[in-house]
Amino acid sequence: MEKRNNRPPRPLNERRQFFDSENRPVTPRRPARSEEGENRPERSAGPRGGDDKPRYPHRPAQDRSIDMIFGLRPILEALNAGRTLDKIFLLRGTKNSMTQDITALAKSASIPVSMVPIEKLDGITRKNHQGAVAYVSPIDYMPLDSILSGLYEEGKTPLLLVLDRITDVRNFGSIARNAECLGVHAIIVPSHGAAQINGDALKTSAGALNLIPVCREPNLKNTLTFLRESGVQIVACTEKTDSSLETGSVDLTGPLAVVMGSEEDGISPEYLKLADHKLRIPMAGQISSLNVSVASGIMLYEVLRQRLSTDK
C-alpha cells in the first residue's frame, strides 16, 4: 500500500533561514558569477552575515603597536633610550648577549622581565615577535625618594598610597581617581604583581594617572622601612584588627602612607608587621568585604576629613 503524505509539497525555490552562534538570523550571500557565467565557490557567511573572512575567536585581538615593542634589538634600544616599559617577556631558553643586556638594564630600571614559553608570546600578539615582547607604559614612573624629599622641602605633609598586589586594571584606575581627588601625592606599586597601566587604566582613572605620580618599587618591604625612617607613619587598612576607622583613634594628619591590599587575601603579613597602625572599615551589612577601590576612597576621605578639621 502506498504511503500517503498530507504535507504540501515544498517549493523548489524556498530559501532557508540560517542563524549564527548567538541565534541571530543571518542572510547568506549569493554565489558570485564569473564572466563566463559559471558559479564560483563562495565562503560561508560569518556571524556578521556579509563577512566573507572567517573569524577565529581563539586568536588574540589585533595589537596596537603604540603599546608594544617587538624583537630583542628594538627593546634593547628602547631601554638605552630611557623609554618607560611596563613589562618585558622573553622566550624561555634564549640566552645571548642581547637578552643579558636587556635583563640587566631592566633590573636597574625596576622593569619586570618574565621568561615565558612560545605559546605565551603567540597569545600576546599575532605579529612576528622574534621571541621578545615589551609593553610600553603610557606614563613615566617617578622615583619615590625625590618625591618625598620634594614634599618636605615645599613644606607639605606627605600623603602616599601603597598598593599591595592590586592586579585588576579597572580597580587600579578607580583607586588612582580616588587618590587624586582626595589629595594623595603619589601612588606606590611593586614591580611584580601589580596591575598593568594601560589604556583601560587611564580611562578608568578619568585622566588622574596623568596627574598623580606613580612610583614602582622592586621591594615593598624595603620601601615601607624607608618611609618609616623618613618620618612617615604607616597605616594599614585591614579587617584583621579591632581598631575601627570611625573612632578617630589614630591621628592621620601627619606624614602618612596608607597601605591597601588585594581583595583575595588583603595585605601581606610581612607588610602588616611594619604598619604603625591597623584600621578596619566598619560595616553593617551581611557582606564582610568591600571592593578595594571603594575601601581606598573611604580611607582617604577620613584622612582628608581629619586634615581639613585641623586646618580650621
Side-chain angles (χ1 to χ4, degrees), residues 47 62 66 87 101 136 156 193 214 218 227 230 271 273 282 295 312:
Q62 187 67 32
I66 191 172
K87 294 179 181 179
D101 291 342
V136 180
K156 296 180 179 179
V214 179
L227 291 175
S230 302
Y271 304 152
K273 294 178 181 178
K312 292 179 181 179

Side-chain angles (χ1 to χ4, degrees), residues 263-293:
E263 293 184 356
E264 288 75 17
D265 51 6
I267 301 172
S268 301
E270 59 179 340
Y271 304 152
L272 281 175
K273 294 178 181 178
L274 294 173
D276 297 299
H277 300 282
K278 304 177 186 67
L279 292 174
R280 63 177 176 86
I281 297 174
M283 286 176 284
Q286 299 182 21
I287 299 176
S288 60
S289 63
L290 290 169
N291 178 278
V292 65
S293 64

Side-chain angles (χ1 to χ4, degrees), residues 172-183:
F172 180 80
S174 298
I175 292 171
R177 185 174 183 174
N178 295 340
E180 203 285 325
C181 290
L182 296 171

Side-chain angles (χ1 to χ4, degrees), residues 39-58:
N39 290 339
R40 292 183 296 184
E42 188 72 15
R43 294 176 179 174
S44 59
R48 287 180 283 182
D51 190 0
D52 60 345
K53 294 182 179 180
R55 290 167 59 182
Y56 303 95
H58 63 279

Side-chain angles (χ1 to χ4, degrees), residues 67-97:
D67 293 333
M68 292 185 186
I69 300 177
F70 311 100
L72 292 172
R73 186 167 296 280
I75 293 175
L76 182 59
E77 292 176 354
L79 289 170
N80 286 324
R83 293 192 65 181
T84 304
L85 302 183
D86 193 66
K87 294 179 181 179
I88 300 176
F89 296 98
L90 300 178
L91 180 61
R92 184 181 297 164
T94 304
K95 293 183 179 180
N96 53 46
S97 60

Side-chain angles (χ1 to χ4, degrees), residues 102-134:
I102 288 174
T103 303
L105 289 171
K107 184 178 180 179
S108 63
S110 299
I111 301 172
V113 178
S114 299
M115 307 302 293
V116 298
I118 187 67
E119 292 79 10
K120 171 70 175 180
L121 296 173
D122 290 340
I124 294 175
T125 179
R126 291 180 290 181
K127 295 182 179 179
N128 182 19
H129 49 70
Q130 299 176 345
V133 176

